[in-house]
Amino acid sequence: MSENNLLSKNSAPHSDVEQIKIRSNYLRGSLEETLENRITGSIPEDDNRLMKFHGSYMQDDRDLRNERAKQKLEPAYQFMLRVRAAGGIVTSDQWLMMDRVAQKYANGTIRLTTRQSFQLHGVIKWNMKKTIQEVNASMLSTLAACGDVNRNVMCNPNPYQSEIHGEVYEWANRISNHLDPRTRAYHEIWLDGEKIVDSRDAEEQEPIYGPVYLPRKFKIGIAVPPSNDVDVYSQDLGYIAVIEDGRLVGFNVSVGGGMGMSHGDVKTYPQVGQVIGFIKPEQAVDLAEKTVMIQRDYGDRSVRKHARFKYTIDDRGIEWFVNELQTRLGWNLEPARAFHFESNGDRYGWVKGSNGKWHFTMFIQNGRVMDDGDYRLMTGLREIAKIHTGDFRLTSNQNLIIGNVSAQKKKKIEELIKDHGITDGLHYSALRRNSMACVAFPTCGLAMAESERYLPSLITKVESILEGVGLREQEITIRMTGCPNGCARPMLAELAFIGKAAGKYNMYLGGGFAGNRLNKLYKENIGESEILDSLQTIIPHYAKERQHEEHFGDFVIRAGYVKEVRSGQDFHA
């Protein structure tokens, strides 16, 4: 099939990024030569686009940007490196490797992401290759952690349903491996692999993606009811485990979710996935492949803001997609089976799994692993990893589970947890335990406002309002991002803030507590004082007039603060 046919089924001129991918020779570009250039810490834009496929984004320290400009110095260029682990499970040795490279090559911290992967910040260009080599040596990878490909496959950690989790995790792993790019460029550039192919010819091909890959990123997650901690409706492709008589019988399939949008562009919007049917476990890989290939062939390659899978489905219709999918599969989906979600948060503290092993879920505010005074989280996890024979599980809410702890090791790990100030978060408010924020300043180049550095202090002020009306332990999901790309999935939160400018946010209300409904814009471009003034009215009203077990997101709709959003196409209405 020719490149033009593979690009997409629409005839509009392709975006500049598509042309970069065509010229890249399966993601090689001029990256190898660029990385050897020590005159500058930056890389050309074409190579920066390709670098994403290899797991990295070029950034600069925005706290230093103005001062460096005054001194006529180039920005303090650095790279964010994302390390992928399907389902978020890593060994103790892999955790120790991440700790080591964070200290040696990055800014001394580890960031746990909302997709159950790792981020390292502050890696400079000439340390990138050494960092990736150490990651790869531990059997982890940065390949396809970013870029126009399938991203890290998410999976519910479910420590209290050990056998089901183990089975679901295996399917997450198989899907992830099957959808990995096949290009040899990664091994050639970063791992000094032999250059078998020097030009685009019959010897090298991408059987699923083709030579120009997908129009945009693609995200897959697997949820195990009653927990929707992976926010399955936010995924391009979601699998919802169906458990009958204690065993996994298959998955309900959800398609067309996605969080990103652009301020002021009503043609862009977040969307929740639609459940289209049921499949057996052994059909999951085939369905994922065919879904990705449909997006490859029909996704919009001319306008990147319109290139996500949600728009492909919304433009053509869910019936069209199901027909196209079943035609490619050669078999039909069964009707969806009953399921029920209760929340999209984590269960904190010690839980004994059905396999007899113990699991400890700790609260890590916004996913930042570092030492801070008596809270010596990074040191404590390092010491735990030295003796832990189970696994570490990154949750979809930026927290961490010390998994599969034997009865013999539990006491020693409990001592290390206590000695280093590690916490299950139960002494925090329920609001804080249900919070998430993206990185934003100073490293993210897209940030319009603070997020990770600001949300904790805003929560403290909101907690005062909640405590004043007796709602400190009322669970409410609160999320913040520095821009509308949706990395912390704020559009699903009951209370959310999306950055517009320094100190200014759009305030959203009415998301579903179980992650099953989008929220709605309540006030635009407001600062902290107006945020708190609004909540001084809404929260006491909720405390006084909420119905039995009514969630905050449901109340603000019933009380008329915002309208219910049933589809992303109504998000701006």
Side-chain angles (χ1 to χ4, degrees):
M1 188 179 289
S2 71
E3 286 167 3
N4 287 336
N5 286 336
L6 275 169
L7 273 172
S8 85
K9 300 288 185 182
N10 75 48
S11 58
H14 300 125
S15 71
D16 59 338
V17 178
E18 297 303 311
Q19 302 303 325
I20 292 169
K21 288 187 283 185
I22 291 172
R23 297 192 300 266
S24 74
N25 187 14
Y26 292 96
L27 309 181
R28 290 172 175 83
S30 58
L31 272 172
E32 197 160 28
E33 296 82 1
T34 291
L35 291 166
E36 293 174 357
N37 177 9
R38 290 189 169 244
I39 295 174
T40 176
S42 70
I43 61 175
E45 183 56 28
D46 280 16
D47 282 339
N48 188 35
R49 293 282 189 176
L50 297 178
M51 185 77 99
K52 295 176 184 179
F53 290 84
H54 298 262
S56 183
Y57 290 78
M58 182 172 70
Q59 303 174 333
D60 72 286
D61 189 330
R62 295 176 67 176
D63 286 346
L64 303 177
R65 188 181 285 178
N66 291 339
E67 182 58 34
R68 289 183 69 85
K70 288 178 186 176
Q71 297 179 27
K72 295 183 168 42
L73 298 171
E74 74 171 12
Y77 289 116
Q78 54 189 260
F79 291 82
M80 180 275 285
L81 189 66
R82 189 175 289 149
V83 178
R84 197 161 60 99
I89 293 184
V90 296
T91 66
S92 289
D93 285 343
Q94 289 169 333
W95 183 272
L96 289 170
M97 176 278 299
M98 290 302 304
D99 181 285
R100 183 172 64 251
V101 297
Q103 305 294 338
K104 192 191 303 186
Y105 301 124
N107 65 0
T109 72
I110 297 170
R111 186 62 154 49
L112 309 184
T113 78
T114 56
R115 288 205 68 79
Q116 297 179 297
S117 57
F118 297 98
Q119 282 184 4
L120 297 173
H121 293 102
V123 181
I124 57 175
K125 185 171 77 173
W126 26 90
N127 284 336
M128 284 287 290
K129 189 169 184 176
K130 290 180 284 189
T131 308
I132 290 176
Q133 287 180 341
E134 290 198 31
V135 168
N136 186 77
S138 75
M139 304 301 291
L140 292 176
S141 177
T142 68
L143 176 65
C146 321
D148 300 340
V149 289
N150 177 59
R151 301 290 185 86
N152 197 47
V153 178
M154 298 170 69
C155 175
N156 185 310
N158 242 348
Y160 54 94
Q161 292 176 291
S162 305
E163 293 92 344
I164 296 296
H165 169 265
E167 200 173 347
V168 169
Y169 168 73
E170 285 304 320
W171 287 112
N173 222 15
R174 290 182 200 182
I175 293 167
S176 178
N177 291 337
H178 187 73
L179 296 178
D180 273 353
R182 299 291 185 256
T183 175
R184 301 185 187 99
Y186 185 81
H187 293 84
E188 290 176 11
I189 294 168
W190 305 107
L191 308 177
D192 296 325
E194 183 181 356
K195 293 182 183 177
I196 301 172
V197 178
D198 288 317
S199 62
R200 194 179 304 131
D201 57 32
E203 289 186 57
E204 184 168 33
Q205 58 180 309
E206 289 279 10
I208 296 174
Y209 294 115
V212 285
Y213 300 86
L214 297 180
R216 285 293 297 272
K217 59 189 173 184
F218 195 91
K219 296 180 176 182
I220 299 175
I222 306 179
V224 182
S227 175
N228 185 24
D229 62 343
V230 304
D231 274 331
V232 73
Y233 298 111
S234 74
Q235 312 289 337
D236 293 277
L237 173 60
Y239 291 106
I240 301 166
V242 177
I243 303 164
E244 295 177 0
D245 298 323
R247 65 184 187 91
L248 177 71
V249 296
F251 301 99
N252 286 329
V253 178
S254 169
V255 297
M259 292 290 97
M261 64 173 186
S262 297
H263 286 315
D265 185 350
V266 297
K267 294 181 180 179
T268 68
Y269 50 83
Q271 184 59 286
V272 286
Q274 303 175 65
V275 176
I276 59 170
F278 171 86
I279 61 171
K280 298 179 177 67
E282 60 270 19
Q283 296 172 317
V285 175
D286 190 17
L287 186 139
E289 175 189 289
K290 299 305 189 295
T291 302
V292 165
M293 293 173 82
I294 291 171
Q295 172 63 355
R296 178 200 69 190
D297 293 345
Y298 288 96
D300 189 342
R301 293 184 184 269
S302 58
V303 181
R304 280 186 69 80
K305 288 184 178 181
H306 189 254
R308 287 293 298 275
F309 186 44
K310 60 186 175 183
Y311 300 121
T312 306
I313 289 181
D314 287 353
D315 290 350
R316 296 174 179 268
I318 195 68
E319 295 81 8
W320 166 85
F321 170 74
V322 173
N323 289 335
E324 180 72 18
L325 175 64
Q326 292 181 155
T327 299
R328 295 192 185 211
L329 289 170
W331 47 267
N332 290 346
L333 283 72
E334 298 177 31
R337 301 196 184 182
F339 67 95
H340 172 67
F341 286 129
E342 294 177 357
S343 73
N344 61 356
D346 289 331
R347 290 191 176 194
Y348 295 102
W350 284 104
V351 175
K352 190 173 185 179
S354 52
N355 63 354
K357 297 291 184 67
W358 289 90
H359 312 269
F360 179 79
T361 303
M362 67 187 71
F363 174 72
I364 301 177
Q365 188 154 255
N366 301 328
R368 182 66 66 180
V369 178
M370 58 186 290
D371 287 349
D372 184 13
D374 292 336
Y375 179 47
R376 295 180 298 140
L377 176 62
M378 195 162 197
T379 300
L381 290 172
R382 185 186 311 131
E383 295 305 311
I384 289 169
K386 290 176 181 178
I387 67 164
H388 180 39
T389 53
D391 53 45
F392 289 88
R393 302 178 184 184
L394 286 65
T395 83
S396 308
N397 294 298
Q398 303 174 306
N399 297 311
L400 185 67
I401 298 170
I402 306 172
N404 285 308
V405 178
S406 66
Q408 294 82 1
K409 289 285 177 67
K410 183 172 181 282
K411 184 176 180 180
K412 179 60 179 174
I413 289 176
E414 284 180 318
E415 291 173 358
L416 290 170
I417 287 171
K418 182 179 179 181
D419 290 346
H420 293 87
I422 295 172
T423 176
D424 57 14
L426 296 180
H427 65 288
Y428 290 127
S429 69
L431 183 74
R432 195 175 297 270
R433 293 195 303 269
N434 284 277
S435 66
M436 282 205 296
C438 72
V439 173
F441 289 105
T443 53
C444 180
L446 300 175
M448 302 173 181
E450 293 280 2
S451 182
E452 178 186 341
R453 298 195 297 193
Y454 171 55
L455 182 58
S457 64
L458 178 63
I459 288 175
T460 298
K461 294 169 183 175
V462 178
E463 283 171 338
S464 296
I465 303 173
L466 289 166
E467 289 169 1
V469 291
L471 294 182
R472 189 179 191 278
E473 290 307 309
Q474 178 63 43
E475 291 193 290
I476 299 171
T477 56
I478 178 172
R479 296 175 181 176
M480 175 178 282
T481 55
C483 82
N485 280 303
C487 292
R489 304 187 291 276
M491 298 81 168
L492 291 173
E494 296 178 283
L495 173 60
F497 304 94
I498 298 177
K500 284 286 297 274
K504 298 291 184 179
Y505 300 85
N506 283 358
M507 179 176 172
Y508 296 81
L509 299 172
F513 182 72
N516 56 350
R517 182 181 61 233
L518 294 168
N519 51 30
K520 182 76 173 173
L521 179 65
Y522 176 62
K523 288 188 176 179
E524 189 172 6
N525 201 33
I526 61 175
E528 183 178 280
S529 61
E530 194 167 353
I531 290 170
L532 295 176
D533 284 346
S534 297
L535 293 176
Q536 286 279 11
T537 298
I538 299 171
I539 290 174
H541 187 191
Y542 172 56
K544 183 179 180 181
E545 297 191 12
R546 61 186 171 139
Q547 296 174 354
H548 179 63
E549 296 186 347
E550 184 177 30
H551 289 292
F552 181 76
D554 300 326
F555 170 78
V556 293
I557 293 170
R558 183 175 64 83
Y561 289 101
V562 291
K563 293 180 180 179
E564 181 179 7
V565 178
R566 297 183 181 273
S567 165
Q569 292 167 302
D570 302 323
F571 188 75
H572 299 294

